[in-house]
C-alpha cells in the first residue's frame, strides 16, 4: 500500500490501551492484520487511545474519501469473554467515543457516520485490569487473556470481510512483523 | 474576606483536572491550586524487569496524545544508561519525528484554545467548527497541518500514533529515496501553511491580550487584570527543538538539580467551598457547602528544579534559547505559534541531510551495567525527562518526569492575580496533557520514597 496519505478508501482501526489487559484487543488485531498483504485501498491503524483526536475528529472535518471504517475494540455487551458483536455507531451508548479534550464534538463517531460507513466489532473482555506484562518476552506487546486471544483470528476474518477481502479459513502470516515493523517509508 | 471556588472538571485539555481557588471580594485569585485527578499511570512499576526494548513501548502507551515524545525519551534514556551512540541518519529521522509530533500537537491545541478567543475586531467568540468563513478556512488549515504532521510521522515512525520504527540503538529502517521526496513535499507544503497560520493565531492572541474584558468560551465577560497569567518562577528547557541526554558532551539537564515533594506539602489543606456560580460555562463550579482537599486529592508529586517550580514548554524554549520575553498566558500561547515554522524548517534541513543508504542502527548495542541514563525530550508541551537504569538488557529502574507534571505547580502560581472566571484560560495556555503526568512514586527532599500509591 502507498502510505502517502493519512486516509484510505477502507480503514480498519484498532482502539484500546495495551497496558490494560483485554483493552489491548483492538491493537492486537491490527498487529495480526499488518502481517498480511492487503489491497492498496485498505489501511490498518493501531489507534491506541488516540482514535478520537488523531482520527475521528479529523475525518469528520476533512475532505476525505473514506468509504468505510471498521473499528475493533472491547465492548461490554454481556456476552461471554471473547465473544464478538457487530454494531453501528447509532447503537453505541452516549460517550463511548467521547473525545478526551471535550472540545465540542461530543460524539465524533456519530458525526463521522453521516459521511462514512462505520462498523464496530466489539469483543467482550474478561479483564481490563493493569496487564500482567510478561517479563521475558521482548517482542510481546499484547497481553490479552486467553479467551480474548482466541477471538483475534475471528476478528481478523470479520474485519477483512467488511472490506471485501476473503483470506479463506486459514490465514498465514506473510511477514515477520518484528523485522518488518517501522520504516513505512519503504513502501511510500 | 476570602472565598473558595472550585472549577471541576476543567475542560478542553487532555485528562482530568480541577481548580481550587481562594479569591478576594473582587473575585481575584489570591491562591490557586490546579491539580490532577487522573488515576496513576503505573509505568515505573510495569517497566521493572522488562527488556530495554520493551519498556519504551510500554511508556508510549501511557498516553494517547504524546506517544512519539515518550517513545523517543524512553529509548534515549535506555541508550543513555547503556552508553549507546546512534548513527547520524537515525538521529535525523528522530528529528523529523520530533517536528511532526510538535506540529500535530500545536495544531490540536489551537482547536482547544480558539473557543476562548475572539474573531479579531469583533466580540464574537471563535467556534472552530462553524461552516462560516473566515473560520472555516482556518479550521481546514489546522486539519491540513495535522494531516501533514501525522503523515510525516507515519512515514518515518512506521506507525503514525505509536511509532514502531525507533528502537534502542537507532531505528529499524532508514527511509527510501522516494519516501524522502514525499517527506520533502509534505514539509514544503507545511512550511507555507505554517507561516500563514502562525500569523493568524498570533493576531488572535494579541487581540485577546489587548481587550479590557474577556470570558471563557461563551460565558459572561469579566474585567481582565494586568499581567494576566504571569508568574515569577524559572524556565526549564534543554534545546530549542530536540532535547538532551547524559551522552551529550555538554548536557543541558542535571538530575541532581531535580527534587520532588509530596502534594501534601505543597497543595492547600481541606477547604470549604463558599462561592459557586450556576452561570459559569458547563455549570462547572462545585456548589457551595461542599469540601475540597487539594493536598489529598492531587494525584501528582510536585517536581522542583533548583528548589522551585519551573515552566516548561514553548515559552521556556524560546526564553532560554531565543531571548523571548513575553509574559502572561498569551505570551505562552504566542510562543507556541512561533514554533510552527521552526518545526518545518528543521524538518526540511533534516530531510535534506539524510543519506537514505546510510546505516540507522548502531554496530554494537551494549547491555548495560546499571548506570543511570536520562533523556530530556522537548515534547510539544515541554521537557519530557525519562530516567532509566539498565543492567544486562533489563530495566532495573525507570522514571518519567513529564511536561505537565512540571507545569502543574508553576501554572498554579500563574493563576494568582487573575479573575477566577478566567482561570481556565490560563490553564489551557499550558496545553495540559495530564494522563502521563500522574504517577505513583512520591519522594522527599532527600529523594527517599515517602509515599506510594499502589495500583489495586
Amino acid at each position: 500500500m502507498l502510505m502517502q496519505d493519512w486516509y484510505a478508501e477502507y480503514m480498519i482501526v484498532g482502539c484500546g490501551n495495551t497496558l490494560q489487559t483485554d483493552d489491548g484487543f483492538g491493537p492486537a488485531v491490527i498487529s495480526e492484520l499488518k502481517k498480511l498483504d492487503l489491497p492498496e485501498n485498505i489501511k490498518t491503524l493501531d489507534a491506541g487511545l488516540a482514535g478520537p483526536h488523531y482520527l475521528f475528529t479529523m475525518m469528520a472535518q476533512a475532505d476525505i474519501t473514506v468509504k468505510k471504517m471498521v473499528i475493533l475494540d472491547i465492548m461490554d455487551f454481556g456476552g461471554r469473554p471473547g465473544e464478538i458483536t457487530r454494531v453501528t455507531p447509532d447503537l453505541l451508548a452516549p460517550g463511548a467515543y467521547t473525545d478526551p479534550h471535550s472540545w465540542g464534538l461530543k460524539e465524533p463517531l456519530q458525526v463521522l457516520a453521516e459521511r462514512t460507513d462505520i462498523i464496530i466489532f466489539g469483543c467482550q473482555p474478561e479483564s481490563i485490569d493493569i496487564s500482567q506484562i510478561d517479563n521475558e518476552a521482548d517482542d510481546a506487546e499484547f497481553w490479552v487473556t486467553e479467551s480474548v486471544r482466541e477471538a483475534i483470528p475471528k476478528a481478523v476474518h470479520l474485519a477483512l470481510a467488511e472490506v471485501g477481502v476473503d483470506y479463506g479459513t486459514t490465514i498465514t502470516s506473510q511477514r515477520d512483523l518484528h523485522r518488518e515493523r517501522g520504516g513505512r517509508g519503504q513502501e511510500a | 474576606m476570602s472565598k473558595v471556588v472550585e472549577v471541576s472538571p476543567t475542560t478542553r485539555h487532555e485528562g482530568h483536572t480541577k481548580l481550587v481557588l481562594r479569591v478576594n471580594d473582587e473575585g481575584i485569585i489570591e491562591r490557586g491550586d490546579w491539580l490532577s485527578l487522573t488515576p496513576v499511570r503505573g509505568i515505573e512499576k510495569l517497566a521493572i524487569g522488562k527488556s530495554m526494548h520493551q519498556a519504551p513501548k510500554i511508556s508510549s502507551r501511557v498516553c494517547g496524545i504524546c506517544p512519539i515524545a515518550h517513545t523517543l525519551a524512553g529509548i534515549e534514556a535506555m541508550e543513555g544508561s547503556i552508553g549507546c551512540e546512534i548513527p547520524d541518519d537515525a538521529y535525523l529521522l528522530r528529528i523529523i519525528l520530533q517536528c511532526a509530533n510538535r506540529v500535530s500537537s500545536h495544531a490540536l491545541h489551537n482547536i482547544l484554545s480558539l473557543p476562548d478567543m475572539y474573531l479579531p475586531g469583533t466580540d464574537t467568540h471563535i467556534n472552530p467548527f462553524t461552516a462560516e468563513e473566515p473560520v472555516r478556512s482556518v479550521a481546514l488549515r489546522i486539519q491540513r497541518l495535522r494531516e501533514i504532521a501525522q503523515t510525516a510521522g507515519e512515514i518515518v515512525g512506521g506507525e503514525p500514533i505509536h511509532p514502531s520504527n525507533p528502537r534502542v540503538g537507532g531505528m529499524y529502517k532508514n527511509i527510501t529515496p522516494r519516501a524522502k521526496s514525499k517527506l520533502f513535499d509534505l514539509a514544503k507544503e507545511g512550511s507555507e501553511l505554517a507561516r500563514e497560520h502562525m500569523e493568524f493565531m498570533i493576531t488572535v492572541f494579541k487581540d485577546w491580550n489587548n481587550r479590557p474584558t474577556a470570558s471563557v468560551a461563551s460565558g459572561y465577560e469579566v474585567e481582565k487584570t494586568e499581567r494576566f497569567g504571569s508568574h515569577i518562577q524559572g524556565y526549564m528547557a534543554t534545546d530549542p527543538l530536540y532535547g538532551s541526554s547524559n551522552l551529550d558532551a555538554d548536557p543541558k539537564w542535571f538530575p541532581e538539580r531535580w527534587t520532588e515533594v509530596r502534594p501534601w506539602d505543597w497543595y492547600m489543606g481541606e477547604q470549604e467551598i463558599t462561592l459557586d456560580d450556576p452561570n459559569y460555562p458547563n455549570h462547572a463550579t462545585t456548589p457551595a457547602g461542599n469540601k475540597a482537599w487539594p493536598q489529598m486529592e492531587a494525584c501528582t508529586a510536585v517536581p522542583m528544579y533548583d528548589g522551585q517550580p519551573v515552566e516548561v514548554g514553548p515559552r521556556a524554549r524560546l526564553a532560554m534559547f531565543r531571548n523571548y520575553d513575553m509574559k502572561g498566558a498569551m505570551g505562552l500561547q504566542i510562543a507556541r505559534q512561533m514554533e510552527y515554522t521552526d518545526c518545518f524548517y528543521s524538518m526540511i534541513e533534516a530531510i535534506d541531510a539524510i543519506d537514505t543508504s546510510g546505516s540507522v542502527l548502531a554496530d554494537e548495542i551494549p547491555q548495560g551495567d546499571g548506570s543511570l541514563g536520562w533523556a530530556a525530550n522537548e515534547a510539544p508541551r515541554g521537557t519530557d525527562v525519562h530516567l532509566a537504569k539498565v543492567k544486562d538488557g533489563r530495566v532495573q529502574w525507570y522514571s518519567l518526569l513529564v511536561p505537565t507534571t512540571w507545569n502543574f505547580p508553576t501554572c498554579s502560581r500563574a493563576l494568582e492575580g487573575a479573575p477566577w472566571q478566567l482561570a481556565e484560560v490560563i490553564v489551557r495556555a499550558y496545553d495540559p496533557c495530564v494522563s502521563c503526568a500522574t504517577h505513583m512514586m512520591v519522594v522527599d527532599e532527600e529523594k527517599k520514597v515517602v509515599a506510594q500509591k499502589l495500583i489495586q
Side-chain angles (χ1 to χ4, degrees), chain B residues 209-242:
Chain B
N209 225 22
N210 292 332
R211 297 173 60 86
T213 65
S215 69
V216 174
S218 56
Y220 48 86
E221 299 268 315
V222 295
E223 233 175 87
K224 285 163 52 190
T225 50
E226 209 175 327
R227 296 174 59 82
F228 177 85
S230 293
H231 62 77
I232 55 168
Q233 307 302 144
Y235 295 124
M236 188 181 84
T238 59
D239 190 79
L241 181 79
Y242 193 79

XYZ file of all heavy atoms in Angstrom, chain B residues 209-242:
266
model
N -5.277 39.769 24.208
C -4.445 40.431 25.203
C -4.808 41.915 25.347
O -4.720 42.470 26.438
C -2.966 40.311 24.806
C -2.106 39.924 25.980
O -2.600 39.353 26.957
N -0.829 40.226 25.911
N -5.213 42.516 24.256
C -5.484 43.956 24.263
C -6.899 44.298 24.724
O -7.230 45.465 24.879
C -5.265 44.534 22.860
C -3.798 44.483 22.470
O -2.927 44.530 23.343
N -3.523 44.371 21.188
N -7.739 43.300 24.919
C -9.132 43.567 25.304
C -9.224 43.865 26.811
O -8.560 43.205 27.614
C -10.009 42.349 24.978
C -10.082 41.998 23.503
C -10.821 40.700 23.299
N -12.185 40.788 23.802
C -13.220 41.246 23.104
N -13.055 41.630 21.852
N -14.418 41.311 23.636
N -10.070 44.793 27.221
C -10.223 45.082 28.662
C -11.026 44.014 29.395
O -10.874 43.831 30.603
C -10.972 46.419 28.680
C -11.670 46.500 27.356
C -10.815 45.741 26.381
N -11.887 43.309 28.683
C -12.687 42.248 29.304
C -12.586 40.990 28.456
O -12.210 41.039 27.291
C -14.179 42.639 29.397
O -14.702 42.766 28.071
C -14.380 43.935 30.172
N -12.932 39.873 29.072
C -12.942 38.602 28.323
C -13.788 37.599 29.075
O -14.142 37.807 30.244
C -11.528 38.076 28.145
N -14.096 36.490 28.401
C -14.849 35.428 29.059
C -14.299 34.078 28.622
O -13.556 33.976 27.656
C -16.340 35.520 28.716
O -16.550 35.193 27.362
N -14.683 33.037 29.342
C -14.328 31.673 28.972
C -15.388 31.182 27.997
O -16.572 31.152 28.338
C -14.295 30.757 30.207
C -14.071 29.314 29.796
C -13.207 31.213 31.159
N -14.947 30.834 26.794
C -15.866 30.377 25.745
C -17.076 31.304 25.678
O -16.936 32.510 25.541
C -16.253 28.927 25.982
N -18.277 30.791 25.846
C -19.467 31.622 25.666
C -19.984 32.169 26.988
O -21.134 32.574 27.107
C -20.563 30.798 24.992
O -20.811 29.644 25.760
N -19.130 32.164 27.996
C -19.561 32.661 29.304
C -19.641 34.172 29.353
O -19.482 34.861 28.350
N -19.907 34.695 30.540
C -20.065 36.136 30.691
C -18.706 36.832 30.793
O -17.709 36.251 31.208
C -20.913 36.439 31.926
C -20.471 35.677 33.153
C -19.464 36.183 33.966
C -21.032 34.444 33.477
C -19.046 35.490 35.083
C -20.608 33.735 34.582
C -19.619 34.264 35.389
O -19.188 33.573 36.475
N -18.699 38.090 30.409
C -17.467 38.869 30.363
C -17.093 39.374 31.761
O -17.968 39.794 32.527
C -17.643 40.069 29.440
C -17.951 39.700 28.002
C -16.715 39.589 27.132
O -15.855 40.472 27.219
O -16.609 38.601 26.390
N -15.804 39.317 32.070
C -15.308 39.940 33.302
C -14.112 40.812 32.954
O -13.477 40.630 31.911
C -14.883 38.894 34.362
C -16.077 38.093 34.840
C -13.793 37.988 33.829
N -13.811 41.721 33.852
C -12.677 42.604 33.612
C -11.374 41.855 33.791
O -11.214 41.096 34.751
C -12.740 43.773 34.608
C -12.674 45.123 33.940
C -12.866 46.235 34.936
O -11.846 46.646 35.520
O -14.026 46.646 35.136
N -10.470 42.045 32.883
C -9.180 41.368 32.983
C -8.236 42.133 33.918
O -8.501 43.280 34.264
C -8.551 41.254 31.601
C -9.209 40.189 30.751
C -8.896 40.350 29.299
C -7.414 40.458 29.059
N -7.136 40.861 27.665
N -7.166 41.488 34.292
C -6.173 42.142 35.136
C -4.863 42.255 34.361
O -4.645 41.542 33.378
C -5.913 41.325 36.409
O -5.666 39.967 36.036
C -7.094 41.390 37.351
N -4.024 43.158 34.842
C -2.736 43.332 34.186
C -1.873 42.087 34.425
O -2.032 41.401 35.425
C -2.041 44.561 34.778
C -1.108 45.252 33.802
C -0.537 46.525 34.405
O -1.251 47.172 35.196
O 0.599 46.834 34.098
N -0.971 41.807 33.526
C -0.062 40.660 33.650
C -0.827 39.367 33.908
O -0.468 38.558 34.754
C 0.963 40.914 34.753
C 1.880 42.089 34.442
C 2.780 42.387 35.625
N 3.595 41.221 35.978
C 4.721 40.896 35.368
N 5.150 41.617 34.368
N 5.408 39.859 35.747
N -1.873 39.191 33.152
C -2.755 38.026 33.307
C -1.974 36.728 33.058
O -1.439 36.501 31.977
C -3.912 38.164 32.304
C -4.858 37.010 32.282
C -5.900 36.944 33.185
C -4.723 35.982 31.357
C -6.787 35.880 33.156
C -5.608 34.925 31.331
C -6.641 34.873 32.233
N -1.932 35.896 34.068
C -1.267 34.596 33.912
C 0.244 34.640 34.092
O 0.928 33.681 33.761
N 0.772 35.725 34.641
C 2.231 35.808 34.836
C 2.652 35.094 36.120
O 1.853 34.935 37.045
C 2.669 37.276 34.923
O 2.486 37.919 33.699
N 3.905 34.707 36.165
C 4.474 34.133 37.390
C 5.937 34.542 37.467
O 6.493 35.090 36.489
C 4.347 32.607 37.402
C 5.086 31.933 36.277
N 6.443 31.767 36.274
C 4.659 31.404 35.094
C 6.838 31.147 35.170
N 5.769 30.934 34.423
N 6.547 34.281 38.585
C 7.966 34.654 38.734
C 8.851 33.411 38.875
O 9.975 33.485 39.360
C 8.189 35.594 39.942
C 7.628 34.959 41.226
C 7.557 36.955 39.690
C 8.062 35.682 42.496
N 8.313 32.256 38.465
C 9.115 31.028 38.526
C 10.102 31.014 37.349
O 9.975 31.797 36.411
C 8.204 29.801 38.457
C 7.091 29.786 39.479
C 7.579 29.870 40.911
O 6.952 30.483 41.755
N 8.723 29.261 41.184
N 11.020 30.083 37.405
C 12.016 29.992 36.336
C 11.527 29.167 35.155
O 10.414 28.639 35.159
N 12.366 29.074 34.127
C 12.088 28.250 32.951
C 13.039 27.062 32.935
O 14.166 27.139 33.434
C 12.305 29.056 31.669
C 11.356 30.222 31.494
C 11.841 31.510 31.316
C 9.973 30.025 31.482
C 10.980 32.583 31.142
C 9.104 31.088 31.307
C 9.610 32.368 31.144
O 8.761 33.417 30.974
N 12.586 25.986 32.336
C 13.465 24.834 32.134
C 13.267 24.312 30.708
O 12.152 23.978 30.317
C 13.144 23.724 33.141
C 14.145 22.565 33.107
S 13.727 21.274 34.290
C 12.536 20.321 33.367
N 14.342 24.280 29.948
C 14.315 23.720 28.591
C 15.719 23.242 28.274
O 16.705 23.765 28.810
C 13.861 24.763 27.572
N 15.803 22.237 27.425
C 17.118 21.649 27.154
C 17.605 21.915 25.731
O 18.774 21.669 25.427
C 17.079 20.127 27.372
O 16.096 19.563 26.494
C 16.722 19.799 28.813
N 16.728 22.373 24.872
C 17.095 22.575 23.471
C 15.940 23.299 22.793
O 14.790 23.143 23.198
C 17.317 21.203 22.800
C 17.929 21.320 21.419
O 19.147 21.527 21.327
O 17.180 21.219 20.423
N 16.215 24.101 21.757
C 15.096 24.737 21.055
C 14.187 23.716 20.382
O 12.983 23.942 20.222
C 15.771 25.609 20.000
C 17.203 25.684 20.368
C 17.513 24.490 21.215
N 14.760 22.578 19.957
C 13.945 21.630 19.190
C 13.893 20.225 19.790
O 12.825 19.699 20.050
C 14.472 21.520 17.752
C 13.642 20.564 16.882
C 12.375 21.242 16.409
C 14.459 20.049 15.698
N 15.055 19.635 20.016
C 15.026 18.190 20.254
C 15.180 17.773 21.711
O 14.291 17.152 22.280
C 16.111 17.503 19.412
C 15.919 16.009 19.374
C 14.973 15.451 18.532
C 16.649 15.173 20.210
C 14.748 14.080 18.521
C 16.435 13.799 20.203
C 15.485 13.265 19.356
O 15.263 11.911 19.365
